[in-house]
Amino acid sequence: MMSSFSNYKKIQEFKQSGTAIFEGVNYAYVISPRLYDVSFAGLIKKIIFSLFIGTRIEDGGGVPEGRVLIFYSCRNKSRADYDYIANRLREILRDCSVFVESGECFSLMQVWRTLVKLPSSFSAVKGYRAGIWQRIAAALLVAKYRTTARYAFASLLQDRDCLVTFCDAQAPENLLTQMANAAGLLSVTNQHGQYRLLDERNMSADAEAYANFVSRRMLCWGEATQNEFTSYGISPGRLVVTGWIKNWDCVELPSAAADPKGVFGVMLNADSGKESNVALIDAAKFVAGNLGLRYLVRLHPWSDPKEYQKLLDDLYDDIGHFDLATYLSKVDFSLAHMTGAVIEILHAGFPVYLLDDGRLARAFQIEGLSYLNPHAVAAAIVEDRSAPTHARHRFQKLARWYNDDRDQASRIRQVILCGGE
């Protein structure tokens, strides 16, 4: 984990060095999310991507003379929740916006374009303190995105006042945002996960959610995110609370049942948080054994059940990739760690308890939500069961702290059309 933190510091130093600035764009920001994978396989992927993958632009329609450009580059990720954000923004701003998407495609022309820009791009990565092959890969990435700026993005910002993107941690969107900033446009991006400051205990590429923030404004979920970004040194005026842009109506979530089922859920992180996942399972076994309950395990969508099945004991009820509605219909409360699903659970009105195993980010270290050990978790559950009304009010307050989406459409229009003034 320390090596990940060391890599993070090298990437941030590269950004601050200023060696990769071309025409007002700091390409160290553009490529930074791809620099975290320093494996041999990651190296090969960066080289192939830089040489053979080009960027295409697809006109999504809208008002031709619209002063607002909504730009989206993540359609190929097959994430309906991501797609919904872009589509919902398009709906809210339809009468004054143009919607454009970018995609990636195989291109032999990209080989020539990247190689032409490589010599000057290699000079640009002298601020990146890494091994020679990692610097070559970084230079290839810089060269590739410089050609993207010239051949794909050059005309997108003409006659626009504002650019709205999905996320500054996505390379194409970071690139276009910096181009918009250089041209004097208002740039606005979106929160799409519960952002939290990371350190040597839990560092990953997720840090770029805040470390790569280059837009003038961000549409934040709630005060929790404002506090995190302000702690990182970002001006509060750039962080506007509009709530999570999410289709809460797409799935009818069950209400917390008055009659207990005797089963609680354990929501695991992605495999990047495997150590904490193991701690969560150990805590679940303790809570189940001491309170006479059973538990089921909700896996991250990309996790393999076999990785965790072997850790379970006889008190487990089920394990799988449950959708949220199915999951909530099976449990009385949840045990979790560092996942955006916590905010969904709170929104649905279900109790949730977070295990602070020493790797929990500060954004989740909230009194009445996080607990230092399984004993404290079990004690909190017993106390809440004895005072359910008090517990319900506490969880409602926490839900608003993380996600305040009242009057969302009007607040979004205010930020984008009036600059948040």
Side-chain angles (χ1 to χ4, degrees):
M1 192 63 69
M2 184 62 72
S3 61
S4 296
F5 188 64
S6 175
N7 193 28
Y8 162 79
K9 291 194 292 185
K10 289 180 181 179
I11 293 168
Q12 306 316 312
E13 289 170 1
F14 177 32
K15 293 178 184 178
Q16 298 305 314
S17 71
T19 61
I21 297 176
F22 296 93
E23 298 180 347
V25 174
N26 188 337
Y27 284 85
Y29 279 85
V30 177
I31 71 170
S32 62
R34 291 185 174 271
L35 300 182
Y36 283 81
D37 185 354
V38 294
S39 67
F40 178 74
L43 174 68
I44 299 302
K45 288 178 183 178
K46 286 192 275 280
I47 293 173
I48 293 174
F49 175 79
S50 300
L51 291 174
F52 296 104
I53 303 299
T55 300
R56 68 177 187 274
I57 297 298
E58 300 174 356
D59 184 359
V63 181
E65 66 276 10
R67 308 301 294 182
V68 177
L69 174 65
I70 303 173
F71 178 77
Y72 185 52
S73 68
C74 299
R75 190 74 66 178
N76 65 334
K77 294 184 181 295
S78 298
R79 287 288 301 266
D81 54 335
Y82 291 4
D83 296 345
Y84 179 80
I85 292 175
N87 295 339
R88 176 59 177 153
L89 288 170
R90 183 182 181 185
E91 179 181 326
I92 291 172
L93 301 166
R94 185 176 295 277
D95 58 344
C96 57
S97 66
V98 174
F99 182 76
V100 171
E101 296 190 40
S102 74
E104 297 170 348
C105 58
F106 176 77
S107 172
L108 288 176
M109 178 63 73
Q110 188 62 50
V111 178
W112 169 250
R113 289 175 174 175
T114 296
L115 292 178
V116 166
K117 293 289 186 181
L118 182 58
S120 56
S121 296
F122 190 77
S123 175
V125 300
K126 61 185 178 183
Y128 182 36
R129 296 188 302 106
I132 183 62
W133 281 106
Q134 294 298 331
R135 292 180 64 207
I136 289 173
L140 284 166
L141 287 169
V142 170
K144 180 261 192 304
Y145 282 112
R146 287 174 66 193
T147 70
T148 301
R150 176 178 179 181
Y151 295 105
F153 290 175
S155 64
L156 292 181
L157 300 174
Q158 292 178 5
D159 301 320
R160 311 295 180 207
D161 294 328
C162 177
L163 170 69
V164 182
T165 61
F166 170 67
C167 176
D168 283 354
Q170 301 296 325
E173 305 195 11
N174 188 284
L175 171 58
L176 190 60
T177 294
Q178 290 197 64
M179 293 172 65
N181 290 343
L185 278 66
L186 173 66
S187 54
V188 180
T189 194
N190 291 271
Q191 179 177 350
H192 64 90
Q194 185 49 57
Y195 299 162
R196 70 275 186 197
L197 300 187
L198 304 178
D199 54 36
E200 61 272 12
R201 304 168 304 153
N202 50 30
M203 182 53 61
S204 73
D206 289 348
E208 294 305 315
Y210 53 85
N212 231 29
F213 178 40
V214 295
S215 293
R216 308 292 190 197
R217 301 285 190 277
M218 175 180 284
L219 307 181
C220 295
W221 289 2
E223 192 176 342
T225 300
Q226 281 186 319
N227 282 10
E228 286 297 283
F229 275 63
T230 300
S231 297
Y232 188 68
I234 293 171
S235 169
R238 297 172 65 190
L239 309 164
V240 186
V241 173
T242 57
W244 189 348
I245 303 175
K246 181 177 176 65
N247 188 7
W248 296 104
D249 297 328
C250 68
V251 177
E252 187 173 343
L253 299 179
S255 301
D259 298 326
K261 304 176 182 66
V263 179
F264 67 92
V266 186
M267 299 195 300
L268 300 189
N269 306 311
D271 287 346
S272 59
K274 188 170 291 186
E275 291 181 56
S276 294
N277 287 343
V278 173
L280 275 174
I281 291 173
D282 287 341
K285 291 189 287 191
F286 176 86
V287 170
N290 279 264
L291 300 185
L293 303 172
R294 298 184 65 81
Y295 63 91
L296 67 81
V297 179
R298 185 188 190 222
L299 297 168
H300 185 274
W302 298 337
S303 295
D304 182 355
K306 295 179 182 178
E307 288 288 318
Y308 298 100
Q309 182 99 41
K310 58 189 177 184
L311 302 176
L312 308 181
D313 61 11
D314 292 339
L315 293 176
Y316 98 92
D317 195 69
D318 202 355
I319 181 172
H321 303 96
F322 306 104
D323 65 78
L324 188 60
T326 300
Y327 168 77
L328 290 178
S329 70
K330 294 175 176 287
V331 303
D332 296 324
F333 61 86
S334 294
L335 179 63
H337 187 253
M338 210 153 51
T339 169
V342 169
I343 287 76
E344 295 179 289
I345 297 294
L346 290 171
H347 179 86
F350 277 72
V352 58
Y353 305 87
L354 306 189
L355 178 67
D356 186 352
D357 63 339
R359 289 176 284 264
L360 188 67
R362 194 189 64 175
F364 290 103
Q365 292 176 345
I366 305 297
E367 184 178 356
L369 180 65
S370 66
Y371 302 88
L372 292 174
N373 54 62
H375 296 79
V377 172
I381 294 166
V382 172
E383 183 176 349
D384 284 349
R385 284 181 165 182
S386 67
T389 301
H390 180 269
R392 184 171 62 256
H393 290 163
R394 183 178 86 248
F395 286 121
Q396 288 173 345
K397 185 177 180 180
L398 286 167
R400 184 60 52 84
W401 163 257
Y402 285 106
N403 176 37
D404 183 357
D405 59 2
R406 293 170 293 181
D407 301 319
Q408 185 175 82
S410 62
R411 290 159 80 177
I412 289 174
R413 290 180 66 90
Q414 177 71 16
V415 174
I416 293 173
L417 302 181
C418 304
E421 302 297 333

